[in-house]
Amino acid sequence: MAIDEEITLKKLEVFLAFMRLGSLARVSEELGQSTVSVHRALHTLEEGLRCPLFKREGRNLIALPTAYAFAKHAQRAVGECEEGIRKVRELAGFDASRIRIGSLYSLTLRCIPQLLIALKMRKPDLQPDLTLGSNEDLLRSLADGRLDAIVIGVQSPIDDKELVAVPLFEDEVQLAAPLGSPYANMERVDLQTMRNEKFITLGEGFVTADSFQHAFRQAGFVPETVMQVGDIFSLINLVSGGIGYSLLPRRVAEFSTRIQLIPLEARYASHQQITLLVPRSRERSPNLLALAAECRMYGKQAPLK
């Protein structure tokens, strides 16, 4: 069905404002239009639809059931158009006031707060939105366009021509043990001595789960895993409660004083490279250039953040 030329996005905005406010005068005040213009927009919208939306009671317009039904679709149409305009302008680097960043939970103690503060100082009008999740979830959101950039940990360099990678720092994976464990006084832990111990790990999709598997492949055996959890904070609490051991990156040490992180022997070494990833198609976006610059500055600081 062809859309009548009387049906415009501007009239849909007027219509939705009236459905929300219920008064020609209030819509006129909110939109900065005369009440005559508001009334004309609603009347010609009805003509374009070839269907009544309102009935008149005295000086008032009363919405009919058709108006409520149409409002749901009109809201989606206006919302999709607004989102499309925002994405296109951001892609072109114009009028981009927000940046959507994804990150791992384990980076929220130092790395991400420092990056966000530095980014705000560089671009005070920029509003960052932060999403936390696993590597798998964040990579999917970046590919789908729901995120503009992500800061994650990787076991090996990203080999994807569609992405630009900016390394920040390297982190070492260590044994996470409750305080006072039999391994507490060891300078380095031999995983071979832990064949009979119970372990807790993060679920699939987290880089720390990949590090866990990598270390035990080096040790040559599959550990007894009594539980998988969906976030690093629950894992830390379970380790501190003596439910089992785990392998965690050194950066989480400050999250809890109730666990001890002990280095592994060199032959079991597993490292994570904390890396900013942005789509190559958008690498020249002013906001992403600013974020990448702050990540490079951050990478020049101390080895562990």
Side-chain angles (χ1 to χ4, degrees):
M1 179 185 294
I3 298 177
D4 193 284
E5 62 183 11
E6 291 291 353
I7 302 174
T8 66
L9 285 170
K10 180 57 67 177
K11 290 178 184 178
L12 293 183
E13 289 180 328
V14 173
F15 166 69
L16 291 171
F18 182 83
M19 294 299 292
R20 178 165 47 86
L21 299 172
S23 163
L24 293 174
R26 293 174 66 188
V27 174
S28 171
E29 181 180 355
E30 180 174 284
L31 300 183
Q33 301 180 17
S34 68
T35 54
V36 173
S37 296
V38 172
H39 186 273
R40 184 184 302 115
L42 296 176
H43 178 65
T44 55
L45 181 61
E46 285 182 306
E47 291 181 340
L49 288 170
R50 298 182 180 87
C51 173
L53 297 174
F54 307 98
K55 66 177 180 179
R56 181 175 291 280
E57 290 186 359
R59 300 172 64 105
N60 298 322
L61 287 180
I62 306 300
L64 296 170
T66 50
Y68 290 101
F70 183 58
K72 297 177 182 178
H73 300 281
Q75 185 64 64
R76 287 201 294 271
V78 172
E80 283 294 320
C81 187
E82 290 176 343
E83 179 67 6
I85 291 171
R86 184 189 66 78
K87 286 186 175 181
V88 168
R89 292 184 66 84
E90 286 187 1
L91 186 61
F94 296 105
D95 193 31
S97 60
R98 305 186 77 85
I99 183 170
R100 300 164 301 170
I101 302 172
S103 174
L104 305 175
Y105 291 93
S106 59
L107 295 171
T108 56
L109 184 63
R110 291 182 179 274
C111 178
I112 291 301
Q114 290 182 25
L115 283 178
L116 294 181
I117 290 170
L119 187 60
K120 286 291 286 183
M121 292 180 66
R122 182 184 286 261
K123 303 195 73 170
D125 295 332
L126 184 61
Q127 179 62 50
D129 293 332
L130 181 62
T131 298
L132 301 175
S134 68
N135 264 31
E136 184 176 299
D137 291 339
L138 296 175
L139 283 165
R140 187 183 304 116
S141 294
L142 185 67
D144 292 345
R146 288 174 286 161
L147 291 175
D148 302 312
I150 59 175
V151 182
I152 61 173
V154 295
Q155 284 288 119
S156 57
I158 293 288
D159 183 20
D160 189 332
K161 294 180 180 179
E162 300 299 318
L163 297 175
V164 175
V166 179
L168 279 78
F169 65 95
E170 188 175 82
D171 202 355
E172 178 187 357
V173 174
Q174 301 181 339
L175 176 70
L179 298 181
S181 77
Y183 307 95
N185 297 320
M186 292 185 177
E187 185 175 337
R188 290 189 173 271
V189 175
D190 183 349
L191 287 181
Q192 292 289 344
T193 65
M194 302 190 72
R195 285 179 175 270
N196 297 321
E197 302 288 4
K198 294 178 172 58
F199 286 86
I200 307 165
T201 184
L202 289 171
E204 295 294 327
F206 288 90
V207 65
T208 297
D210 295 340
S211 299
F212 183 96
Q213 295 167 7
H214 176 266
F216 279 100
R217 280 197 299 271
Q218 300 298 105
F221 71 96
V222 177
E224 181 182 356
T225 301
V226 295
M227 193 177 300
Q228 284 190 347
V229 297
D231 68 275
I232 204 162
F233 305 110
S234 298
L235 191 153
I236 289 173
N237 289 333
L238 290 169
V239 170
S240 69
I243 304 300
Y245 296 91
S246 191
L247 300 183
L248 291 174
R250 186 156 53 102
R251 62 183 177 273
V252 307
E254 294 182 65
F255 276 111
S256 174
T257 58
R258 297 184 297 152
I259 65 169
Q260 181 182 7
L261 292 182
I262 310 165
L264 304 177
E265 287 194 357
R267 63 181 182 274
Y268 311 121
S270 185
H271 296 88
Q272 298 174 3
Q273 181 71 56
I274 306 306
T275 305
L276 169 72
L277 296 176
V278 300
R280 188 170 297 279
S281 61
R282 297 192 54 204
E283 65 176 316
R284 305 311 299 173
S285 163
N287 291 340
L288 294 180
L289 285 173
L291 177 60
E294 291 303 333
C295 287
R296 291 187 181 95
M297 291 287 292
Y298 188 87
K300 294 178 180 178
Q301 300 172 18
L304 180 62
K305 317 298 188 292

